[in-house]
């Protein structure tokens, strides 16, 4: 009986594998191209991660009062780790091409951040801080053409450091200067 049960299990496993393979297979039309192929077609995603270069590493370090900077994660949100007299500083940049300042304000308020109106180069902007956290601050503003961008600067608690809101505002100012 054991060999018969073993054979039955094998038949069921083979049938399940065939069904799975048949259900997941599909034909994709078109011509395969190398990953680096730019072609002459739609260029929508050619500058996908260049937003992270909107402000140079040296300018980020200078704005945050740091001596050294290391690039961290780059994707939808860009991150840097900095080191200076104030210790470790975390800097984050985001750019939402279809975002709005109203949506950003609503998200910040939902997280119970303190949100205040400000301007960056004459544009409406907001400044946000977590409750009881004088060591970090963010500034978000309308982008040059569409969407919004924001900078978040976070110093280590308990260490003397520059004003994180001034650092975030300086980075926002540099971003608008360079996005024109």
């Amino acid at each position: 009986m054991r060999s018969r049960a073993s054979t039955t299990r094998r038949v069921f496993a083979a049938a399940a594998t065939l069904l799975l393979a048949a259900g997941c297979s599909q034909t994709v039309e078109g011509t395969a191209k190398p990953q680096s192929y730019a072609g002459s077609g739609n260029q929508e995603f050619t500058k996908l991660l260049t937003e992270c270069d909107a402000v140079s590493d040296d300018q980020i370090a200078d704005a945050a009062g740091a001596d050294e900077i290391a690039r961290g994660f780059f994707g939808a949100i860009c991150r840097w780790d900095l080191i200076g007299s104030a210790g470790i500083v975390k800097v984050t940049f985001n750019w939402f091409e279809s975002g709005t300042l109203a949506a950003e304000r609503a998200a910040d308020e939902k997280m119970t951040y303190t949100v205040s109106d400000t301007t960056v180069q004459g544009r409406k902007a907001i400044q946000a801080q977590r409750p009881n956290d004088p060591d970090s601050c963010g500034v978000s503003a309308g982008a040059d053409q569409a969407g919004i961008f924001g900078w978040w600067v976070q110093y280590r608690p308990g260490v003397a450091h520059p004003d994180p809101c001034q650092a975030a505002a300086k980075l926002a100012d540099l971003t608008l200067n360079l996005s024109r």
Side-chain angles (χ1 to χ4, degrees):
M1 275 301 221
R2 280 195 166 174
S3 64
R4 188 174 186 183
S6 176
T7 303
T8 303
R9 280 193 296 258
R10 286 185 190 148
V11 169
F12 279 124
T17 302
L18 286 173
L19 284 172
L20 182 62
C24 294
S25 67
Q26 66 181 16
T27 302
V28 177
E29 299 297 323
T31 305
K33 301 206 181 331
Q35 184 177 1
S36 61
Y37 176 78
S40 59
N42 187 348
Q43 299 294 314
E44 181 179 1
F45 300 110
T46 58
K47 297 182 179 180
L48 187 60
L49 297 179
T50 58
E51 288 93 351
C52 296
D53 295 324
V55 177
S56 74
D57 288 357
D58 289 341
Q59 290 173 310
I60 295 168
D62 183 55
D67 303 316
E68 296 180 38
I69 185 168
R71 288 177 166 243
F73 177 76
F74 278 19
I77 296 176
C78 315
R79 295 186 181 119
W80 294 264
D81 292 319
L82 296 85
I83 298 175
S85 61
I88 298 172
V89 184
K90 302 276 188 182
V91 174
T92 306
F93 173 70
N94 62 65
W95 192 312
F96 301 115
E97 293 160 351
S98 61
T100 66
L101 210 50
E104 191 70 13
R105 175 186 289 278
D108 289 341
E109 289 173 346
K110 187 172 185 172
M111 293 185 294
T112 69
Y113 287 15
T114 302
V115 181
S116 58
D117 292 323
T118 188
T119 60
V120 175
Q121 292 192 19
R123 288 183 184 264
K124 283 178 66 171
I126 58 172
Q127 177 178 296
Q129 282 191 283
R130 291 187 289 239
N132 304 314
D133 182 4
D135 304 307
S136 62
C137 185
V139 172
S140 297
D144 187 40
Q145 294 180 11
I148 61 161
F149 68 89
W151 286 94
W152 188 266
V153 177
Q154 180 176 355
Y155 293 95
R156 286 187 72 189
V159 177
H161 54 71
D163 181 349
C165 293
Q166 285 182 343
K170 174 68 175 175
L171 291 166
D173 185 65
L174 289 167
T175 303
L176 275 178
N177 253 351
L178 296 175
S179 67
R180 290 186 182 173

